[in-house]
Amino acid sequence: MRCGTALVSCALCVASILGGAWMSRPTPVDYGPVLATASDMYAVTDAEGEPVRWYVVGKGGAGNGASADSGNSGSTDTDSGTSKVSRIPASAATLPWKVSVTYSLDGPNVEANEVAGASGLIGVYIDIKPQTKEANRTIPVVAFTVPTQVADDVSADNSITVTMQGSNTVVAAAGKAATGLEFSCYMNAKDFSMSSVALAVLPSNSSSPAVGANPDAANAAAQPAADTDVAQLTASAATLVDALTDAGSGEQQQLIEQLQTLRDNERALNKSVVAERETAHKRTFEDYMAAYVGSYTTHLSGSIGTSTQLPALMGTAGELSGDTPLAQAVLDLANAVNNVSAAHQHAGAVDALDEVIRRIQQQGTTGLVDDLTAEASEEATRGSKQYADGQSQLSAAMIPYSMKYTDVYTANLSALTGGTSSGATAYESQAIAETNGSDELADAQSKVDAAMSTLATASEHTGKATALRQIVLRFSDQFEGGASSASDSDGDGSSGDVSSGPVTEAQALTSLVDSQSQSFYGKTRATQAKRKADAARKQAKAVQQQQSQHSKASLVDDTMSMSAGDVMNYAGGLTSAIGGGDKSDSSKSAGSGMNDSAKSSDTGDSGNNLDTAPVLFGFGTGGTLLEHDMNALINETVKISDAGTLLAQAVAQLDSPNTQQKTAETRYLIVISTV
């Protein structure tokens, strides 16, 4: 213990001698000036309803306190000029109103996790009470939605507005200054879910306008719709995510169009290739069963009977290996199974492209490379596991199917031959045709179909993983720098070609949204970002050159290989079915049919989420490199943007003069997490 203490002391001494850079942290920021000049404030709550971070939009102009905060992450245009967006910790501000959201299920109150996905009589209770003196001159406005597919008969208190908006039911209510708001609503729900609750805190409309307020604020009817507190609050909410990313720049359209072209191509391939291979698989499956019972017929002797003749089946089992028609039919079936499964990789590629397009449209390309790389690893792992499950499932399904098929075939053949094996081969084709159309196979066939569906879904995950990796390689230059970065100054007043050159420190620091961007942590992150970006470009360059002549080439390889040994584990199951082998063999090589890209997936940094406020950095997995993850910030601002849209719909329905004024006071928008 003393030795350990001594080592720690020595390490601290070294850090001190070196100027403390190793453990340095930035000087705490005084957020007072930022809050004093804020026009709009936004936050997303945690599970307990407490804001975990605030996003503050300050007014533009000289001497603006927001501009003094090095955490400014971007700018938005408001009526007062260019406004700065700052991210501050939850402790820096207090919400004027205390919010409580509770639930009931068939009477008793329950926790949120119990009501999520539940069916029955659901109650949602909203309780908003004053928390600071500021509540005396502000009003709370609440809104949330319930999908109509969950419940289309939402009822609420008389003072609450319940309306249909597309595929959602919008529940909205407005309270009073200093009084608060309390209401409940009920619905008979199936698989219950609801949106987050949007809470807007707006300056109250009194006979005496607040200091700095628009003198015409009391005359709500005279206020243009775009010139109200709600309009300004929701407009800033919609652009908040753009301030953290490059989503709103309009410079991603060319990239999106390229991805859309690839998606349309993958969608067409998915439709044509799957249909073609499903037809081929059905034909090959029937050929396999014909070869199987054809071999079985040659081993029949004496009276056939109406059920499987085990001695004949034993003879057939002996032909499963070696140079026999049955062994070849097994291999053909395995290839058909692999081909039809692998064809579904195109569906996974479509899903991947759709997701990337949505992400760029909504959030830009900030942090996209890391996100897609991590997701590709997760999808590959999921696909590999599910493919192994599908192989085992198919193995288990083929055994009873083969036995049932043989039973039905034997009965049909017996009826055609009069119960004797003599001359049975002459009736083989007719007996097979009658067996293929038998209703007695329906249950066993459904189990085979379910296994094939599992394999197809597994291949979709594998295809998505492969496509995500290819997207990163093909478009990494646009993801890392993009059009906006290509024209940025390199520091000497000239423009640099970011797509081919190294990332500058300024560019690497643009994703950091607080004062730590200039600390040791921030600069470490910048150095790491530059290394990663340069390495990614070197890797991508060869791929881009290779595919430059094939811009519409598929993102996936829809072929798959499997050894004969793997095939035997599920293609017939005959040996195991008659006691001549071990059924567990099928699990020993399960998953070996997956292509290498899915099997050798790496874990990457997908498990890291070290973005905790107010410190954005921590130690990464398995080493001392500092990691930073923008996901939490981006997801928060996207939720705020969505809540702003919901709020605009709700206020229009409420049509209350108190919500339609325009003042110079601070407005709040809080997104309360629900089920």
Side-chain angles (χ1 to χ4, degrees), residues 205-206 209-210 213-221 223 229 657 660-663:
N205 185 13
S206 62
N214 186 330
D216 296 327
N219 186 4
Q223 290 287 335
D229 283 317
Q660 299 298 331
Q661 61 181 322
K662 175 67 185 299
T663 74

Side-chain angles (χ1 to χ4, degrees), residues 167-412:
S167 59
N168 291 316
T169 300
V170 180
V171 180
K176 296 181 180 180
T179 303
L181 175 62
E182 184 178 356
F183 69 91
S184 58
C185 63
Y186 299 89
M187 67 210 76
N188 284 307
K190 181 178 181 182
D191 299 328
F192 177 70
S193 65
M194 63 181 285
S195 73
S196 299
V197 174
L199 167 64
V201 177
L202 304 174
S204 63
N205 185 13
S206 62
S207 56
S208 300
V211 176
N214 186 330
D216 296 327
N219 186 4
Q223 290 287 335
D227 190 28
T228 65
D229 283 317
V230 173
Q232 291 298 321
L233 187 64
T234 56
S236 294
T239 57
L240 183 61
V241 67
D242 299 343
L244 289 175
T245 69
D246 53 358
S249 63
E251 296 168 338
Q252 307 296 337
Q253 191 55 39
Q254 183 179 359
L255 171 61
I256 290 173
E257 289 174 357
Q258 291 176 283
L259 294 169
Q260 288 173 334
T261 299
L262 282 173
R263 180 193 59 191
D264 294 343
N265 182 56
E266 293 292 349
R267 185 175 286 139
L269 286 172
N270 178 56
K271 183 177 180 180
S272 62
V273 176
V274 169
E276 174 188 337
R277 293 187 183 179
E278 283 180 344
T279 300
H281 171 259
K282 181 180 180 181
R283 182 174 59 250
T284 306
F285 188 88
E286 291 176 351
D287 290 346
Y288 161 72
M289 295 310 301
Y292 160 53
V293 294
S295 171
Y296 166 80
T297 302
T298 62
H299 293 283
L300 290 172
S301 61
S303 177
I304 297 177
T306 57
S307 60
T308 301
Q309 193 180 96
L310 288 181
L313 193 62
M314 289 290 290
T316 299
E319 296 183 21
L320 284 171
S321 59
D323 186 15
T324 66
L326 180 57
Q328 184 59 49
V330 169
L331 292 175
D332 290 343
L333 177 59
N335 287 329
V337 168
N338 283 329
N339 284 335
V340 72
S341 300
H344 289 272
Q345 291 190 53
H346 293 293
V350 171
D351 188 22
L353 286 159
D354 271 333
E355 184 175 311
V356 174
I357 290 169
R358 284 195 304 271
R359 163 69 189 263
I360 295 173
Q361 289 173 331
Q362 190 173 43
Q363 304 173 18
T365 59
T366 303
L368 193 57
V369 170
D370 287 344
D371 291 349
L372 298 188
T373 301
E375 186 177 358
S377 295
E378 294 170 1
E379 288 291 330
T381 301
R382 189 177 294 114
S384 182
K385 181 183 183 302
Q386 195 163 13
Y387 200 88
D389 293 342
Q391 284 186 309
S392 298
Q393 189 178 346
L394 186 56
S395 175
M398 282 299 293
I399 293 171
Y401 181 88
S402 299
M403 296 302 294
K404 186 64 177 179
Y405 192 98
T406 313
D407 282 343
V408 176
Y409 172 81
T410 303
N412 290 333

Side-chain angles (χ1 to χ4, degrees), residues 27 58-59 65 84 118 125 261 318 369 380 447 461 489 524 605 653:
T27 304
K59 302 179 186 67
K84 299 296 184 180
Y125 308 90
T261 299
V369 170
K447 293 180 173 60
H461 289 298
S489 172
T524 301
D605 298 327
Q653 295 166 9

Side-chain angles (χ1 to χ4, degrees), residues 103-127:
Y103 313 89
S104 66
L105 175 59
D106 294 328
N109 288 352
V110 294
E111 298 295 327
N113 60 349
E114 296 179 65
V115 78
S119 298
L121 180 61
I122 305 292
V124 180
Y125 308 90
I126 309 290
D127 187 9

Side-chain angles (χ1 to χ4, degrees), residues 44-45 196 634-644 669 671 673:
V44 176
T45 69
S196 299
I634 292 174
N635 291 338
E636 283 173 2
T637 55
V638 169
K639 288 181 180 179
I640 292 169
S641 177
D642 292 342
L669 176 56
V671 182
S673 302

